[in-house]
Amino acid sequence: MNRHGITPQRVHKSSGLRAWLGLVVILGPVLLVSMDGSILFLAMPRISQELSPTAGQALWILDIYGFAVGSLLIAFGSIGDRYGRLRLLMIGATVFGVGSAGAAFAPGPELLVGFRALMGVAGATLLPSALAVLSELFPEPRRRARAIGVFAAAFAAGFAVGPVVGGVLLEHFWWGSVFLVNLPVIVVFLLCAPVLLREVRATRPGRVDTLSVAASAGGLLLTIHGLKQLAADGVSVLPALTTPLGVVLLTGFALRQRHLEHPLIDFSLFRDRVFTIAVVTGLLPLAAWSATAYLAGVHLQSVLSLSVLHAALLALPGAVVLTVSCVVTPAVVDRIGKRTALAVCHFSIAAGLLLLLLTTPTGGIGWYIASTAVAGLGYGISFSVVADTAVGAVPPERAGSAGAIAETSNEIGNALGIAILGSLAALLFRLRGPDLAPTLDETLQLPGLAPAAVKEAKAAFVTGLHAAAAVAGLAHVALGTVALRLLPRQAPGEPTADRAETAARSGNAR
C-alpha cells in the first residue's frame, strides 16, 4: 500500500481501465474517418440525382477526401509529435464535424467537393495522432499489439461498413444523412477525450520544417491527381505536367529528410524488409478493395437492379470477416510470424478478387459474397500487421510519424484504387460498350434505349469489373510471392523484431 492508501494492484487495474476506456473514445473518430472514405460508394447515384454533378465533379466528390487525407497525413503526424497529439486530435475532430455538417447541407456539387476536402484535411490530423496516443495508453508491447488490433479493426470496419451504413441511411433519409451521422460521435469524443486521454508530445520536438510539409503534401497531391487523370483520360497537357512535378517534389522531399535533425519521415525505417513490405501491404489491398467495392456496388445496383439496401446487406459477411480478422491477427502473428501472415494476406485477397471473375451481367450474387468473405481475411490481416509494424518499429516519440506512414499507404491506396483500376474499368466500358455515354448509369438513363444496347452496356461494364479484379488479384499473387522469398522465417512463439526492440527500449527506460 502506498502513502495514498492505494495498493499497486488497484492502481494497475485503474490504469488499465482508463487505457481501455481511452481506446473506446479514440475509436469513434477513427471509425468515422475510415467510413467516410467509402460511405459514398452506394450513395453517389442518389447524390447525382439530387445535385446533378458533371462526370468530373462526381469523381472529385468521391476522390477529394482520400487525396486530402493521403497528402497531409505525414505532415500532421510530425506536427502532432512536436506540438501535442491530443491537441491536434481535438482540433481535427472539431473541423471534421464542421466539414460533415457543411457537406450534409451543401446546395451544389462545388460546395460538396469543398466540404469533403475540409473533412479530408481534418481526417489527416486524426489518424496518426490517434495511433500515437494509443501507443501511450498501452506502453507494454503485447497489450499494445492487442489494442492496435482493435484500432485496426475499427479502421478496417469503417471502410467495410461505410457502404452498408450509407445504404441503410439512404433507404430512410435524404442523401445528406450520410454526413450528418458523424456529428454525435464527434460530440461524444470532444466531451470525453480531455478526461480520459493525456497530452503526448516528443521530448525534443524541434521545429517543423515548413518546406518539407509543403513538398510532401504538394508532391503527393500532384502525383496522385496526375496519375488519376492519365489513367482516366489518357495523355494530356495538364497531367503530363503535374505528374512529373509531383515526382520531383517528392524526390526533393526525400533528399531533404536526410539532412534534417528532425525529419518528417525517417527513411531508414525502410531498410527493414518487414517494414517495407508491410507498408506496401497497406497500399495494395486498399487499392484493390476500394476499386472492386465501388465497381461491385455498381454491378449489384445498375447491372443486377438490386436496391441500395439489398446491395448494402450483401456486403455484411465480408465486413464481419474483415473485422474479426483484424482483432485476432496480432495473436496469430505471434504464432506463425509476419512472413506467413503477409503471405496469407496477399494470397487470400488474390483468391477473393479472382472469384469476381465468375460474376455475369445476369447473376453472380453468391460469388460476390464469397469474394468479400475470402478477401476479407486478407484485408483484415493487412490493416492489423501494417499498423503494428509501423508503431512497433520506432521509438515512442516518433510513433505519430510512423503511424502516418502506415495510414498514408492506406489512404493513397484507397485513392489510387478508384483512380487507376476504376479508370481501367471505365476505359474498357468505352471500348466495349455501345458508345452512347461515358458511364453505365448515364447510358441506362438515356431515353428510348434499345434492349440490345442495355445488354451490351451491362456486358461491357462487367468486362471492366473483371479486368480490374484480375489486375489487382495478380498483383497480390506477386506481392505474396515476394513476401515468401524475401522475408526471414520466424519460429512459432518468437517475438517479432520490432516488438522485441520495443520491449528492450521499455526495459532500458525503466
Side-chain angles (χ1 to χ4, degrees):
M1 181 179 296
N2 62 20
R3 62 189 180 92
H4 297 289
I6 303 175
T7 64
Q9 183 178 10
R10 288 177 62 189
V11 172
H12 175 75
K13 288 182 178 179
S14 175
S15 176
L17 178 61
R18 171 190 163 272
W20 288 107
L21 288 175
L23 173 61
V24 172
V25 170
I26 289 173
L27 293 183
V30 168
L31 184 66
L32 293 183
V33 171
S34 59
M35 187 173 71
D36 272 83
S38 62
I39 199 168
L40 295 188
F41 287 169
L42 294 179
M44 277 307 298
R46 181 77 60 84
I47 291 175
S48 296
Q49 292 173 6
E50 297 293 332
L51 300 184
S52 301
T54 65
Q57 289 172 335
L59 284 177
W60 275 115
I61 291 171
L62 279 171
D63 285 350
I64 189 61
Y65 178 83
F67 288 162
V69 175
S71 62
L72 292 169
L73 271 171
I74 294 172
F76 281 124
S78 182
I79 290 171
D81 282 344
R82 287 160 168 79
Y83 294 114
R85 295 155 183 169
L86 180 57
R87 179 189 301 178
L88 197 59
L89 273 173
M90 299 293 288
I91 295 172
T94 302
V95 176
F96 195 86
V98 171
S100 298
F105 296 102
E110 297 86 357
L111 278 178
L112 180 55
V113 171
F115 281 117
R116 285 280 286 171
L118 182 63
M119 292 171 65
V121 173
T125 72
L126 293 172
L127 290 176
S129 291
L131 196 55
V133 170
L134 185 150
S135 69
E136 183 273 334
L137 289 173
F138 298 92
E140 195 274 320
R142 288 190 179 276
R143 291 181 71 222
R144 190 197 70 224
R146 289 195 295 270
I148 288 179
V150 176
F151 177 98
F155 186 74
F159 273 112
V161 305
V164 180
V165 173
V168 172
L169 289 172
L170 289 173
E171 188 73 11
H172 303 285
F173 305 103
W174 101 111
W175 64 267
S177 62
V178 300
F179 301 112
L180 213 58
V181 72
N182 296 338
L183 297 186
V185 179
I186 293 297
V187 170
V188 170
F189 174 80
L190 292 175
L191 292 175
C192 296
V195 178
L196 294 171
L197 305 177
R198 286 195 292 262
E199 184 59 277
V200 185
R201 55 171 58 89
T203 55
R204 291 185 179 178
R207 70 178 184 88
V208 174
D209 184 61
T210 306
L211 187 58
S212 293
V213 171
S216 64
L220 283 169
L221 184 60
L222 289 173
T223 303
I224 294 172
H225 176 261
L227 289 173
K228 173 183 176 297
Q229 293 299 115
L230 287 171
D233 305 322
V235 178
S236 60
V237 175
L238 184 60
L241 292 175
T242 57
T243 303
L245 178 58
V247 172
V248 169
L249 285 174
L250 290 176
T251 302
F253 165 77
L255 294 175
R256 184 173 178 79
Q257 303 316 293
R258 298 170 58 185
H259 305 290
L260 294 177
E261 183 180 359
H262 301 285
L264 289 185
I265 292 183
D266 182 2
F267 282 98
S268 65
L269 291 173
F270 289 93
R271 296 172 186 168
D272 185 327
R273 289 181 293 182
V274 176
F275 182 87
T276 300
I277 292 179
V279 170
V280 176
T281 298
L283 187 148
L284 185 57
L286 259 296
W289 188 87
S290 63
T292 55
Y294 171 65
L295 294 172
V298 175
H299 176 256
L300 293 174
Q301 293 182 81
S302 300
V303 177
L304 301 184
S305 301
L306 300 183
S307 69
V308 63
L309 180 61
H310 192 180
L313 293 177
L314 291 177
L316 277 177
V320 171
V321 171
L322 189 155
T323 304
V324 172
S325 175
C326 266
V327 174
V328 303
T329 289
V332 174
V333 169
D334 279 340
R335 292 181 175 273
I336 67 175
K338 285 183 179 174
R339 174 179 181 270
T340 303
L342 288 171
V344 171
C345 161
H346 292 296
F347 291 136
S348 62
I349 292 175
L353 291 172
L354 295 178
L355 286 175
L356 287 176
L357 299 182
L358 300 174
T359 58
T360 69
T362 58
I365 292 176
W367 292 118
Y368 166 75
I369 296 173
S371 168
T372 60
V374 173
L377 172 64
Y379 291 139
I381 294 173
S382 72
F383 279 110
S384 187
V385 170
V386 170
D388 189 26
T389 299
V391 175
V394 301
E397 65 271 14
R398 299 292 291 161
S401 298
I405 296 175
E407 304 299 350
T408 297
S409 68
N410 289 152
E411 293 297 336
I412 292 177
N414 186 40
L416 286 181
I418 295 177
I420 295 179
L421 294 175
S423 296
L424 171 63
L427 173 63
L428 289 175
F429 177 80
R430 292 196 297 271
L431 295 176
R432 301 289 298 272
D435 196 25
L436 299 174
T439 67
L440 174 63
D441 286 329
E442 290 175 291
T443 301
L444 296 179
Q445 291 171 7
L446 294 174
L449 191 63
V454 172
K455 183 178 180 180
E456 184 181 359
K458 290 184 176 182
F461 179 84
V462 173
T463 298
L465 168 63
H466 289 173
V471 170
L474 293 176
H476 277 285
V477 170
L479 191 53
T481 303
V482 169
L484 286 176
R485 291 179 61 88
L486 296 184
L487 295 184
R489 292 180 179 274
Q490 177 187 334
E494 178 187 346
T496 55
D498 55 319
R499 290 188 195 166
E501 183 181 343
T502 301
R505 286 197 303 265
S506 299
N508 292 337
R510 289 192 295 269

